[in-house]
Amino acid sequence: MERLQKVIASYGYASRRKAEDLIRNGKVLVNGKVITELGTKVETNDIISIDGVIINKDVKHEYYLLNKPRQVISSVTDKEGRITVTDLINTDARIYPVGRLDYDTTGLIILTNDGDFANMLMHPSYEVEKTYVAKINKILDKDDINKLKKGIVIDNRKVDIKRFKVRKKDVEKNTSIVELTIVEGRNHIVKKIFESMRIDVIKLSRVSYAFLTLDGLKSGEYRKLSIKEIKKLYVLKKC
Ligand code: URA
């Protein structure tokens, strides 16, 4: 027996919080009966439907790694009609992005319809390293680099920068390309790190996520994750 909102999320239909809203709003039926109580437990063979569509029938999980281009939204739909990450993937499955990259950030993003997998990756205790390459509007001095290496406090919480290096400097244009590795998943975190030092991020790309990289994928291209990679991501979960 599992809680209804957890089961809805595990089918990739909605996040757990959204599933709770759907239940509260009377949109969820179990075996044909409207359920509005959040704690309701269901069994595997109970038929769950939302807005008249049965959700727990032969759902096959899919897992993708996308090289997100700029000007693409990290969500399933967009009120303003902008292109979303799911528009770029050719599937009928109800996939959604695991976490988000900003509209103007490029790079590695995972998409799936496996709610359990997505929840695991997005949980704050799932501390995998993510590497970003940023173009910034400063040539960093020793003090800047020491500050970054010590870790930066954002919204009262320290962000540890596991690795940091300057890849390139353009003295004429007063810009640098830097690479930093963090485990943080907070929204806009890289921009906030530099903003706290009065530095603008001109371009940002996520180039790796745990052991996954963008190798072989041009902007806008994607591939399926292999079973081996999916298992490896599960292994990284702290017990
Ligand atoms: N940090 C940011 O500031 N933006 C992103 O898209 C990802 C990490």
Side-chain angles (χ1 to χ4, degrees):
M1 299 278 274
E2 288 274 22
R3 286 156 71 86
L4 183 54
Q5 58 267 41
K6 189 172 174 207
V7 175
I8 295 172
S10 75
Y11 280 108
Y13 190 91
S15 67
R16 221 175 278 188
R17 197 171 301 161
K18 250 200 172 143
E20 288 175 359
D21 288 342
L22 290 166
I23 295 169
R24 275 196 216 98
N25 294 332
K27 303 266 186 201
V28 181
L29 273 69
V30 176
N31 303 325
K33 227 179 103 194
V34 177
I35 300 292
T36 51
E37 200 162 312
L38 287 183
T40 305
K41 296 213 167 158
V42 287
E43 291 187 56
T44 7
N45 52 359
D46 285 331
I47 309 280
I48 303 167
S49 60
I50 300 176
D51 281 335
V53 179
I54 296 175
I55 63 156
N56 56 341
K57 235 174 72 186
D58 302 331
V59 175
K60 235 179 103 228
H61 287 149
E62 297 184 9
Y63 307 84
Y64 296 94
L65 187 164
L66 167 72
N67 185 354
K68 177 189 155 326
R70 276 164 93 93
Q71 300 190 333
V72 172
I73 285 274
S74 296
S75 64
V76 178
T77 52
D78 182 52
K79 281 190 198 127
E80 294 171 40
R82 291 171 295 185
I83 297 173
T84 72
V85 281
T86 54
D87 291 334
L88 301 179
I89 294 185
N90 187 15
T91 177
D92 291 330
R94 301 173 65 100
I95 56 166
Y96 55 89
V98 175
R100 52 180 60 235
L101 290 178
D102 295 335
Y103 187 59
D104 58 352
T105 299
T106 61
L108 197 159
I109 189 157
I110 293 171
L111 297 100
T112 184
N113 59 346
D114 180 344
D116 287 338
F117 180 74
N119 283 334
M120 174 188 79
L121 297 189
M122 285 190 281
H123 197 275
S125 65
Y126 190 79
E127 295 188 339
V128 298
E129 291 187 351
K130 295 134 194 136
T131 299
Y132 294 88
V133 173
K135 182 176 182 184
I136 55 172
N137 68 342
K138 189 173 183 191
I139 306 285
L140 299 175
D141 56 33
K142 266 201 185 126
D143 278 354
D144 293 325
I145 293 176
N146 284 340
K147 237 189 228 172
L148 285 161
K149 286 190 171 165
K150 267 195 208 146
I152 303 275
V153 176
I154 305 288
D155 301 329
N156 300 320
R157 202 146 41 90
K158 192 170 163 196
V159 185
D160 277 326
I161 296 169
K162 301 274 173 191
R163 284 185 293 284
F164 182 85
K165 79 176 176 215
V166 177
R167 275 194 181 183
K168 246 190 202 168
K169 296 178 207 176
D170 187 330
V171 180
E172 247 173 54
K173 291 188 178 144
N174 192 38
T175 58
S176 321
I177 309 274
V178 298
E179 182 180 309
L180 67 162
T181 301
I182 53 178
V183 296
E184 272 276 352
R186 280 187 272 169
N187 285 343
H188 318 302
I189 197 68
V190 175
K191 288 177 189 160
K192 283 184 174 173
I193 290 169
F194 287 108
E195 202 177 274
S196 74
M197 299 166 69
R198 296 171 192 276
I199 297 169
D200 287 336
V201 173
I202 303 163
K203 270 187 185 169
L204 182 62
S205 182
R206 181 155 72 192
V207 296
S208 75
Y209 183 101
F211 54 87
L212 298 168
T213 67
L214 291 168
D215 281 358
L217 291 179
K218 295 194 189 105
S219 176
E221 289 184 342
Y222 64 91
R223 67 171 176 86
K224 282 192 167 173
L225 289 181
S226 69
I227 302 282
K228 211 168 150 190
E229 288 170 330
I230 296 160
K231 282 191 180 157
K232 215 166 151 189
L233 287 166
Y234 270 107
V235 169
L236 294 177
K237 182 180 172 197
K238 279 190 184 157
C239 299

